[in-house]
Amino acid sequence: MADGRMGATVRGAEIPMLRAYRLWFEHTRKCDGGCKGTAKAQDGCGVGRELWGTYRLTRIRKNGAAP
């Protein structure tokens, strides 16, 4: 741009690991079934534990994500 400002960028696809963490984090903020306020993800409700497990598997790329 001629005036030195940066143009808007198109947001690319979300990284699978960050998406999984975001889904878990959003769940824990809203969950009244045991996730909200717990010190460990393993101490939360079933849905929270499942979301955390998905995050962990995604983080170590066991879900088939590209390296």
Side-chain angles (χ1 to χ4, degrees):
M1 298 188 141
D3 60 2
R5 290 185 292 164
M6 296 292 292
T9 59
V10 176
R11 183 177 174 176
E14 192 172 15
I15 297 170
M17 181 186 76
L18 295 179
R19 180 181 185 277
Y21 185 83
R22 179 182 54 79
L23 290 173
W24 170 79
F25 184 77
E26 289 174 355
H27 169 78
T28 59
R29 294 186 63 197
K30 299 173 188 172
C31 178
D32 291 327
C35 291
K36 195 174 192 176
T38 59
K40 295 181 180 179
Q42 296 87 352
D43 296 338
C45 73
V47 174
R49 288 192 308 266
E50 183 178 329
L51 289 168
W52 184 254
T54 301
Y55 162 71
R56 289 188 65 214
L57 291 174
T58 305
R59 186 182 60 160
I60 60 174
R61 291 191 166 98
K62 294 277 184 180
N63 68 341

